Amino acid sequence: MLILSSCNKKETVDTMELKYPETRKDTVSTTYFGEKVSDPYRWLEDDRSEETAAWVKAQNELTFGYLDKIPFREALKTRMEKIWNYERISAPFTEGDYTYYYKNDGLQNQSVLYRKDSSGKEEVFLDPNTFSKDGTTSLADISFSDDGSLVAYAISEGGSDWRKVIVLQTKDKKVVGETLVDVKFSGMSWFKNDGFYYSSYDKPTGSELSAKTDQHKLYYHKLGTSQKEDRVIFGAEQKRRYVGGSVTEDNKYLIITAANSTSGNELYMKDLTKENSPIVTVLNNFDTDSYVIDSQDEKLYIVTNLNAPNKRIVSVSAANPKPENWVDFIAETENVLNPSTAGGYFFANYMKDAVSQVKQFDYTGKLVREISLPGLGTATGFGDKKEAKTIYYSFTNYTTPGTIYSFDVANGASKEYQKPKVDFDSSKYESKQVFYTSKDGTKVPMIITYKKGIELNGKNPTMLYAYGGFNVSLTPSFSVANAIWMENGGIYAVPNLRGGGEYGKKWHDAGTKMQKQNVFDDFIAAAEYLIKEKYTSSEYLAIRGGSNGGLLVGATMTQRPDLMKVALPAVGVLDMLRYHTFTAGAGWAYDYGTADDSKEMFSYLKKYSPVHNVKEGVSYPATMITTGDHDDRVVPAHSFKFAAELQAKNKGQNPMLIRIDVNAGHGAGKSVAQTIQENVDIQAFTLYNMGVRKLK
């Protein structure tokens, strides 16, 4: 339970006397369609300069000095470590002669990949905690060959999207061939035991953390040869930003997807049973999202939103796979479809108001059964090889830690396989789904989770978290950090904004380009609903989001600084005029448009771009920006420039801080220690600025 005290000047005297590091202002500017836009902090885009490094160090000294003074920070950390310290085991999967699974004893920085042989003897197969001393090198991906005798695994160093790939013999873990380097935005898909397909860009000139990369290529690496000899399969002649290749389970077809943005892709296939077979075009435009989910004999099964905004599965002969020959296999419904295959069946995972419903179909398209789930929440998994008899799925929601269930594909029986022992009493908490009205009358769902019996008096610390973009759906899931927040009397609220994928392509498109303001309006309306219904008030409301969600927070706090007490933009896209000039940023244009597109698009972006909308003399909510110095997806310059603007222009005593993780990227692969400390600092900062001085 939180003890709240009034936030008077004496209690926040340290906050009021914050001395921000000096940030040099330049006279740099860019002219867009005749309009000159100044960019005084552009020098912070140079992630390799000593001046930027010194600025990062000074900002961190200030921020961590501030956080160190929060009286209950250590108590929060002690409690979070205690809850976090529980054994976590993944669903098992079989490759060759072994059964593999991931396990974390509790506070290990990275989960360890174990295996058992037929005798049941357990051994460590790969331990990412040994990859680096500080736990910041992670296992990013893993792919086994056809018979399981070989494995390719990718590692990420310091959270970077650039990866290295190592191949081992699984029997004795002996390294095979050389380590592949400079692999980015790639899977690894084996063709039998001969080699595998992967994707990458040519290494850019300049900084690999921020320089633009926009020509992706699909390569084939034949085992026992040098990476220099790897053949380009697709992308040398065709300039595409994102290219992926995967081999069907029967090793008959190579499926290639190619895209220039994060939405919409071309689709190609190549018959691997015939030497030097041509690449056949299935779809030659970027108007839809389509991919091959499986093949059987000469038939392909394709998941698509072509003429089906909520997606459907079609079947077609591989001999003539053009869309005019597609036949509905699982037709579109009113709910969004996310299917998988396992055990000789299709599993249609539908999302109804952000909650899972799963149906099992056979290969004739006949419904076998609707699967009974443990409750309302998110079910994931249901994926395995065709011959699997028992498969696995995970179920979670905001109050239920992820529990793994086994599933018998023949009779539909589910059994609890692994339930984590978390020091958190779920029975004391509840979730409620509400539908509120946005500015233009659109109904938007939101799930609000809190301790049972909470008093709706407008004084509950509330974390409003959202994303709202890139067709991403926020479905219920358990988080230790959120459990701590609610344990201390906080409310956790997640609205499913437009721009996401919760209601299909139409819902996504309604939050893109010249309709992006809908996303911010939906978020503002969620906050206003929580305040109106007395869950909280502006004095006890924090808004949080990461990446595109960081943009959401930045835009909302600059448009409605009066609405919340605390703003927490993480790894955000905050300079909307220049985002497309860094790394793969140009690929986000489907959602955002770019300042180069047209005068209208430039003006629209400039109107909400957080970096360009910090106003002199405005009192902004207490803000802690978070980013990583090795973020090569949303480069940290976005956050650096936004922090500089806030520190220079904010009126009043609310702190404008930036917390920069060192040797960390966009979030993937972050160590447990880093994750715990970041969540502790976010909650400590938030509660302190809401007037909390002591945790009971």
Side-chain angles (χ1 to χ4, degrees):
M1 184 70 181
L2 296 175
I3 297 178
L4 301 176
S5 64
S6 61
C7 192
N8 60 49
K9 290 185 178 181
K10 287 182 180 178
E11 289 174 320
T12 56
V13 65
D14 290 338
T15 306
M16 287 189 283
E17 293 183 350
L18 283 172
K19 293 283 192 293
Y20 298 115
E22 186 176 338
T23 308
R24 174 170 60 82
K25 293 182 74 170
D26 283 345
T27 56
V28 177
S29 64
T30 301
T31 300
Y32 301 88
F33 302 98
E35 182 177 338
K36 187 177 179 181
V37 179
S38 70
D39 195 359
Y41 305 116
R42 189 176 294 181
W43 62 270
L44 286 167
E45 292 178 3
D46 186 354
D47 53 82
R48 297 182 301 173
S49 81
E50 290 183 7
E51 188 178 14
T52 301
W55 185 89
V56 166
K57 183 180 179 184
Q59 292 287 349
N60 268 344
E61 285 175 355
L62 173 69
T63 299
F64 287 106
Y66 176 94
L67 294 168
D68 285 343
K69 293 184 175 70
I70 296 176
F72 50 84
R73 183 180 179 221
E74 279 306 308
L76 263 179
K77 184 176 182 180
T78 299
R79 180 60 181 145
M80 197 169 295
E81 285 180 339
K82 187 172 188 293
I83 295 189
W84 212 292
N85 193 12
Y86 67 93
E87 186 179 68
R88 298 180 289 284
I89 302 176
S90 76
F93 55 97
T94 301
E95 299 288 352
D97 298 328
Y98 299 93
T99 298
Y100 295 85
Y101 51 94
Y102 293 91
K103 183 165 70 172
N104 192 306
D105 293 341
L107 296 177
Q108 287 177 290
N109 278 322
Q110 307 288 342
S111 292
V112 178
L113 181 58
Y114 287 83
R115 70 179 180 187
K116 289 181 180 178
D117 59 19
S118 56
S119 71
K121 180 186 175 185
E122 181 183 73
E123 69 169 334
V124 171
F125 183 63
L126 284 174
D127 183 359
N129 298 291
T130 65
F131 293 174
S132 63
K133 288 183 179 179
D134 60 0
T136 60
T137 298
S138 60
L139 178 61
D141 195 11
I142 191 161
S143 177
F144 289 85
S145 67
D146 201 37
D147 67 1
S149 65
L150 297 160
V151 65
Y153 70 94
I155 62 171
S156 168
E157 296 167 313
S160 173
D161 282 331
W162 290 100
R163 308 280 158 82
K164 293 177 180 175
V165 177
I166 300 156
V167 180
L168 303 177
Q169 292 179 169
T170 54
K171 188 175 182 180
D172 56 12
K173 294 186 268 189
K174 184 179 178 181
V175 174
V176 179
E178 64 181 37
T179 296
L180 275 61
V181 296
D182 299 335
V183 176
K184 186 172 183 180
F185 294 160
S186 177
M188 298 165 293
S189 187
W190 284 85
F191 174 61
K192 301 181 179 177
N193 290 331
D194 299 343
F196 55 88
Y197 296 88
Y198 69 95
S199 307
S200 198
Y201 303 90
D202 293 337
K203 206 67 177 286
T205 55
S207 169
E208 67 179 61
L209 293 177
S210 58
K212 190 173 183 177
T213 49
D214 63 357
Q215 186 167 1
H216 217 199
K217 298 173 186 175
L218 178 67
Y219 293 87
Y220 181 70
H221 178 68
K222 185 171 176 59
L223 230 56
T225 64
S226 166
Q227 186 178 6
K228 294 176 183 177
E229 300 173 52
D230 290 354
R231 287 185 294 123
V232 177
I233 306 300
F234 186 96
E237 307 300 324
Q238 316 90 331
K239 189 175 181 181
R240 302 290 184 265
R241 288 197 185 95
Y242 308 110
V243 175
S246 61
V247 179
T248 54
E249 190 177 336
D250 56 15
N251 282 299
K252 278 188 175 182
Y253 306 106
L254 169 66
I255 307 300
I256 301 170
T257 57
N260 279 330
S261 193
T262 50
S263 186
N265 66 276
E266 299 167 324
L267 187 62
Y268 303 89
M269 60 158 285
K270 178 179 170 67
D271 189 338
L272 296 177
T273 66
K274 299 172 184 174
E275 197 169 346
N276 299 319
S277 63
I279 291 175
V280 175
T281 302
V282 181
L283 278 170
N284 65 351
N285 60 69
F286 305 108
D287 297 339
T288 63
D289 299 284
S290 303
Y291 64 93
V292 173
I293 188 173
D294 202 4
S295 67
Q296 188 172 58
D297 300 323
E298 306 303 316
K299 189 179 286 188
L300 300 177
Y301 296 90
I302 300 172
V303 181
T304 183
N305 58 15
L306 176 63
N307 301 322
N310 291 340
K311 292 192 280 191
R312 58 181 172 142
I313 303 179
V314 298
S315 63
V316 67
S317 168
N320 198 356
K322 296 283 188 181
E324 54 264 30
N325 300 314
W326 292 1
V327 176
D328 270 9
F329 175 68
I330 297 178
E332 181 191 25
T333 71
E334 62 181 357
N335 299 317
V336 179
L337 170 66
N338 290 292
S340 58
T341 61
Y345 294 93
F346 285 84
F347 292 87
N349 196 328
Y350 292 101
M351 185 164 40
K352 181 174 175 59
D353 298 330
V355 171
S356 295
Q357 296 178 338
V358 184
K359 296 181 180 181
Q360 182 180 359
F361 292 84
D362 66 20
Y363 271 72
T364 69
K366 177 187 173 185
L367 175 65
V368 177
R369 62 178 60 87
E370 181 165 352
I371 295 166
S372 178
L373 297 175
L376 295 178
T378 304
T380 55
F382 298 103
D384 209 328
K385 295 182 174 68
K386 272 195 173 77
E387 65 267 21
K389 304 298 182 190
T390 300
I391 65 173
Y392 299 86
Y393 68 92
S394 177
F395 179 82
T396 183
N397 56 36
Y398 292 118
T399 62
T400 306
T403 300
I404 297 170
Y405 294 83
S406 64
F407 179 82
D408 186 311
V409 296
N411 62 28
S414 284
K415 290 182 181 177
E416 190 177 284
Y417 174 78
Q418 200 269 332
K419 184 176 182 179
K421 296 174 182 175
V422 186
D423 182 21
F424 177 75
D425 187 352
S426 297
S427 67
K428 293 182 178 178
Y429 300 84
E430 61 184 330
S431 289
K432 177 183 179 183
Q433 187 172 56
V434 300
F435 291 82
Y436 65 90
T437 304
S438 192
K439 185 177 181 179
D440 64 357
T442 300
K443 293 289 185 185
V444 181
M446 174 165 57
I447 296 179
I448 310 168
T449 309
Y450 45 83
K451 190 179 285 186
K452 290 176 180 177
I454 201 165
E455 186 180 351
L456 300 184
N457 58 8
K459 294 183 178 181
N460 301 302
T462 298
M463 188 74 73
L464 181 62
Y465 177 88
Y467 188 78
F470 294 92
N471 201 38
V472 171
S473 302
L474 293 187
T475 60
S477 64
F478 182 79
S479 154
V480 170
N482 293 339
I484 294 284
W485 177 259
M486 293 186 296
E487 195 176 71
N488 282 322
I491 291 173
Y492 186 70
V494 181
N496 298 107
L497 315 178
R498 280 174 285 184
E502 290 86 354
Y503 295 105
K505 188 168 176 58
K506 290 179 181 177
W507 192 253
H508 173 208
D509 286 348
T512 61
K513 294 189 178 76
M514 303 286 274
Q515 298 186 93
K516 188 66 179 176
Q517 184 60 40
N518 286 339
V519 185
F520 313 140
D521 289 343
D522 289 355
F523 199 46
I524 290 167
E528 291 175 335
Y529 175 90
L530 292 167
I531 292 167
K532 180 186 173 187
E533 298 297 321
K534 302 289 187 185
Y535 285 97
T536 192
S537 63
S538 292
E539 286 298 301
Y540 299 104
L541 177 65
I543 59 172
R544 184 180 180 187
S547 197
N548 174 75
L551 163 63
L552 172 68
V553 171
T556 302
M557 67 177 281
T558 50
Q559 290 181 17
R560 288 291 307 276
D562 60 305
L563 190 59
M564 73 294 298
K565 185 66 178 176
V566 178
L568 302 161
V571 293
V573 187
L574 299 162
D575 184 342
M576 298 310 296
L577 302 186
R578 286 179 58 75
Y579 78 86
H580 60 295
T581 65
F582 304 112
T583 61
W588 311 334
Y590 182 93
D591 266 59
Y592 299 146
T594 77
D596 301 330
D597 290 347
S598 66
K599 185 176 182 180
E600 291 73 20
M601 195 71 250
F602 153 70
S603 298
Y604 191 87
L605 288 165
K606 183 172 178 283
K607 190 175 180 181
Y608 76 76
S609 176
V611 164
H612 299 93
N613 282 280
V614 179
K615 304 288 194 298
E616 193 82 50
V618 173
S619 180
Y620 290 100
T623 301
M624 187 165 74
I625 303 161
T626 52
T627 188
D629 68 342
H630 277 61
D631 190 342
D632 48 10
R633 195 171 310 174
V634 180
V635 295
H638 285 277
S639 296
F640 295 172
K641 290 161 80 171
F642 191 49
E645 290 285 352
L646 286 168
Q647 290 177 357
K649 295 177 179 176
N650 179 59
K651 176 187 177 184
Q653 307 306 321
N654 286 333
M656 303 289 126
L657 302 178
I658 180 167
R659 183 188 184 281
I660 306 154
D661 256 333
V662 178
N663 278 331
H666 197 59
K670 189 174 284 190
S671 72
V672 165
Q674 285 176 312
T675 303
I676 288 175
Q677 191 61 62
E678 182 179 54
N679 279 293
V680 166
D681 290 348
I682 285 169
Q683 291 190 25
F685 177 87
T686 300
L687 293 172
Y688 189 82
N689 281 283
M690 289 176 176
V692 175
R693 295 296 175 264
K694 185 179 179 183
L695 302 182
K696 189 174 180 180

